[in-house]
Amino acid sequence: MSKSKLGRWVGFVFALLVVVGLLMTTAKDSIIKGPPNVVEGYEAWDSELVQEFASLPVQDGGRIKPISTWAGFELLAVNGKRKVRFESGDEKFKLTPTEWILDAMFREELANEMAVFQVEDANVLDLIGVDHTNKKRRDRYSFKDFQPYLAELDRLRTDLLTKKQEGVELDIIEDQFIGLDTNIRNYIGLTSHFSPVRSRMADKDSSLTDELQKFSSWVKRWNQLAPLFASSAQQSPDGADGLKAVATNIAIRVGDSVYSEVAMMPSLDDKNSIWPKRDNWLMEYMQFKTDADEDQLEYLTEMETLALAYEEGGQAGLLEAVKAYKIKVYALMDERGEGATLKGEMAYYRMDYFYRSLTPFVLGFLVVSFGWISPATRWGRVCNRIGWVLLVIGTVLVVAGIIHRSILMGRPPVGNLYDTIPFITAIAIIVLAFIEWVTKRGVCLGLAFFLAALGMFLAMWYEESKGVDPMNPLIAVLRSNFWLATHVTTITIGYAGGLLTAGLAHVYIFARLFNIDEGDKSFRRFMTRIVYGGVCFTLFFSLVGTILGGVWANDSWGRFWGWDPKENGALLIVLWTLIILHARMAGYIKEWGIHICAVFGAILVTFSWWHVNFLSIGLHNYGFTAGDGLKAIWSFYALEVLVMVLGISYAWYENAKKKQLKAS
């Protein structure tokens, strides 16, 4: 077998390994390892009820969104996935985020048994003494597993936060504990949302009127009723027993109410953009520490209607109550000019553009890689044609997803770190597709599929690892559609240019290493010209983007340049591309040199795009992220350095071989 054919087979096997790796990454959470989570007596939610409840609005993260979106990110933060899997009897269940939220709010006893709390390292559990026998080091636990240790959780959290305030840096296990404790607290907030109003104050056949059987009625009349409880202590025990029982009932309900921070109803005041959250208000009001709040009282009443509808009428009763509440709350939002994008957002997440695009991208990469075995034959041409169709389908999905997001957010497509991933992917695909259309060499098609699949998996990983809604409003300094459309978009196109240029350089290097090009000098010149053009493309957009960024910084912060890490990263890209172009023009680097330098450019782009977000310094603190991806970044650096070393070594070997031939 010739070296060139061997190289093609190596490329084909590499494609297979990539596809298998991506598929295993996607499916790994569907594979149950160890004993399954069992929730006894579980009853599935009615599909219509789930759909209606999912469309209810909630104010979270500075914007109004459907409960389906909010529930998805609540579950992602706790569970790391948007599905909850367990068994009940002979059935296997896979809950959506909305179903999980319904369980947490209305069926707390069942939700507490679901293993949804992802623990990255079992050493975190050792801090509070939770037993993890027969569990993996990285596993999921239920709230029921943590219930006996809630006091210890509070104590340790206080100690660690005090330690942090004193300037002592927490280790990775302590940081993970803080994250776990936060997730548990958020879950308690969900389960306690309906706690004060989950049941009536007394049985229906009691002497209390129907109105006084509702907790909200006692709260509304608290100023008149409170003196009765104060005087009950002075009465004889027999006369005071009834009031004391009611007082105890109220105290328990109020105590359970302080954890909820869910805002599900607009303010009755059109001028107040903040929706009411119960939080500490009810307790402070019942203790006469704050005044009555019409918004809070109405919110409590509406939530009680929903809670009692389920308590007394089951799912059918709750469905009717949700429908009635939805009509009321949507009318309120219409009066306030809010919630116009709710239906569009639900459609966006139903479409799941980026996830759906993975199918044509992965399949297309596999089909095109089949064509690498015999590129000049009819088989190779058929594979390329099929590949084009799949590339167009995948690209349409990605572009549609970006446009839909922009419409929902009411701003240009790039505003945060997550936004950059699909945008850079789309730019890389479109540019490579254009080059392939013009040149018809078959090189850019396969690379477009590879970068597309990689970009979509990166977007999925980032969203799951952060567990934060990327469509939440931007910080004040970024709320400028002009600068987002100019500086941020331009600099991001520069990142895309640097990465796709490095991708083309990789193709050149491996084509030379495995003799896939069969010594074709025209192919080598073609690849070198494309990479040279890619460097120019990167320089143009990076330079313009950097200058625009300086103008924006001067407008926002009063200085054009401040040696901020993000600014330095952009400057490094500009300087490196200038070095490559001047070195090429002066003859200091030739074919091998420009490709190896382009690979190093990918390291600089990654540093500017991702790595600076882990440094926790500078004015661009809106981009800070957790440390989960730092190992991946260093691994990428190591991989690129290895490619550079291989390229330099083979270039030196070829040069030495030529000298030897001349000498002989």
Side-chain angles (χ1 to χ4, degrees), residues 414-428:
V414 184
N416 55 46
L417 193 55
Y418 175 83
D419 291 342
T420 63
I421 304 172
F423 186 78
I424 285 175
T425 303
I427 294 296

Side-chain angles (χ1 to χ4, degrees), residues 632-660:
I633 290 174
W634 282 109
S635 298
F636 176 76
Y637 291 163
L639 182 64
E640 294 304 277
V641 169
L642 177 61
V643 172
M644 291 171 63
V645 170
L646 287 172
I648 293 169
S649 301
Y650 196 76
W652 179 84
Y653 166 75
E654 280 191 339
N655 192 43
K657 194 174 180 181
K658 285 179 183 177
K659 288 181 179 179
Q660 189 178 9

